[in-house]
Amino acid sequence: FGSSHFSSSQFPGLARPEATTPVVVHARGRADSIGEGAMGSVGSADNQDVEHTSGIQRLCSAIFCALCIAPILLLGSCGTLGWNERRAVCDSRPIAQGKDEVVEVGCGSPDAGNGDLVMFSCDLSIAGLPPLRPINSDFENYIEFYGVGLSATTEMMQCVEHKHSETKKDSVGGGTTTVHTYTYSVEWRSSHINSYSFQKLNSMDWERNCGAHNPDWPVGFPTFGTLYQNSAKAGAFALPRDFVSMVPINTDLSNYTAPPGWSKAGASYTTRVGSGRNGIGESRVRFTGNDWRNPRITVLGENKQGTIQRWTASDSWLCSGFTLRDLRTGDASRDDLFAALASEAGALT
């Protein structure tokens, strides 16, 4: 009709249409409708954004995916399948060879099985281990653990943003309307969350569930994760760091004095940062180490003059440089250990 004016009396059965231009609303307040006619009536709360994609945009995107993305995905999947099949063969080969060649040795002599793939079950030794401390933290002068590893898990109650998107097809035009809803909750998190970057600050949901920004992460909080000794001994054998780091570090260490500003609460040490609402700023630290009540470990590796290292399987036309090593708690028989290794390798592929 161009720019001509008309009335329903001139064209029976034809009413003047409402606005059909799609509108994208980034809501701070409330919109009663977005693009009525093409999309229907879509409400938007103060914690929502509404986004419209036209039918032409969707068509162009589909053509692009069919012509460009699909061939890349096909080639990539073929390559991944080939790599996965090779990995499955090459992972199983050193396990089978190792089971045939492994030498089971005792704990008394570091020369037992020298140059061979060896397996033994011995106790970890505390002798000669230097103390591990959470340096550069409030606990540096209060925690001193003689073990193969020390772990610190630090958490703070913080406001967290969650985004949920719901897309519906428009009733006319082939387009889609997506409503992005942002909600907020207070949760334990192990790293700082910048609440100033949230999308819907001062929305009703943010005010009700958080109502305050997250405080800065204090410099006195332990942030090192897990510390490991560079080496340790099991029986007469020396274990380098890559073996030591396989020892579970999951036994609570709660028999130490809390530093100033902290309190003991079961296996954790607690404090509060700032004065935020809804528990924001409450903090806790949990220290764990290896379990000296159960020091027994089973080790698999090549004995090189008393030091256990990775064992390298012989090369084949398909597989080269594949290695074998293992450490797990408790006693394990040869058959049980290699069965577990085979099962774990199968799960990875």
Side-chain angles (χ1 to χ4, degrees), residues 10-299:
Q10 292 173 296
F11 297 89
L14 180 62
R16 182 177 181 86
E18 298 294 327
T20 59
T21 303
V23 178
V24 178
V25 175
H26 299 284
R28 298 296 296 188
R30 180 173 182 84
D32 293 325
S33 63
I34 295 93
E36 254 182 52
M39 294 175 284
S41 179
V42 181
S44 177
D46 67 349
N47 64 332
Q48 292 180 329
D49 284 338
V50 181
E51 179 181 357
H52 176 63
T53 302
S54 69
I56 294 177
Q57 287 176 309
R58 294 182 65 212
L59 178 61
C60 292
S61 177
I63 294 173
F64 175 77
C65 289
L67 296 179
C68 300
I69 304 300
I72 295 173
L73 291 177
L74 180 60
L75 292 174
S77 63
C78 291
T80 301
L81 180 62
W83 178 88
N84 199 49
E85 291 297 322
R86 175 181 175 274
R87 179 65 183 266
V89 172
C90 294
D91 278 349
S92 62
R93 189 175 182 280
I95 295 173
Q97 181 185 346
K99 185 176 180 181
D100 291 337
E101 298 184 11
V102 67
V103 177
E104 297 183 69
V105 298
C107 301
S109 173
D111 298 322
N114 185 40
D116 295 325
L117 174 66
V118 299
M119 171 183 171
F120 57 84
S121 295
C122 304
D123 288 348
L124 274 171
S125 175
I126 196 173
L129 293 177
L132 295 171
R133 297 185 179 90
I135 59 174
N136 299 323
S137 76
D138 292 345
F139 295 85
E140 181 173 0
N141 298 319
Y142 294 85
I143 305 291
E144 183 179 79
F145 178 62
Y146 288 85
V148 300
L150 172 66
S151 178
T153 302
T154 306
E155 297 175 301
M156 181 189 292
M157 286 285 276
Q158 299 180 79
C159 183
V160 180
E161 180 179 74
H162 303 277
K163 179 181 179 180
H164 172 74
S165 299
E166 183 178 4
T167 301
K168 293 184 179 180
K169 190 174 181 179
D170 297 341
S171 58
V172 178
T176 58
T177 299
T178 302
V179 178
H180 305 288
T181 303
Y182 299 88
T183 58
Y184 300 89
S185 60
V186 176
E187 304 172 12
W188 288 108
R189 291 301 175 95
S190 58
S191 60
H192 182 253
I193 296 174
N194 180 15
S195 57
Y196 289 95
S197 66
F198 290 167
Q199 295 296 313
K200 298 299 175 183
L201 289 174
N202 301 319
S203 65
M204 290 181 62
D205 196 88
W206 183 84
E207 289 283 359
R208 178 175 61 251
N209 295 310
C210 295
H213 284 288
N214 298 326
D216 292 334
W217 200 265
V219 295
F221 280 18
T223 56
F224 58 83
T226 302
L227 299 173
Y228 291 103
Q229 300 283 5
N230 289 325
S231 64
K233 297 201 73 172
F237 300 98
L239 304 177
R241 184 183 175 87
D242 61 335
F243 280 84
V244 171
S245 62
M246 299 176 73
V247 177
I249 309 298
N250 54 14
T251 299
D252 287 320
L253 306 176
S254 56
N255 56 335
Y256 297 95
T257 302
W262 292 81
S263 302
K264 290 183 65 174
S268 299
Y269 299 84
T270 63
T271 190
R272 184 177 181 85
V273 180
S275 56
R277 294 164 49 189
N278 297 312
I280 292 176
E282 293 180 8
S283 306
R284 64 188 182 189
V285 179
R286 177 172 170 253
F287 293 98
T288 56
N290 60 289
D291 187 1
W292 283 119
R293 296 168 299 180
N294 298 288
R296 197 76 165 176
I297 58 172
T298 297
V299 179

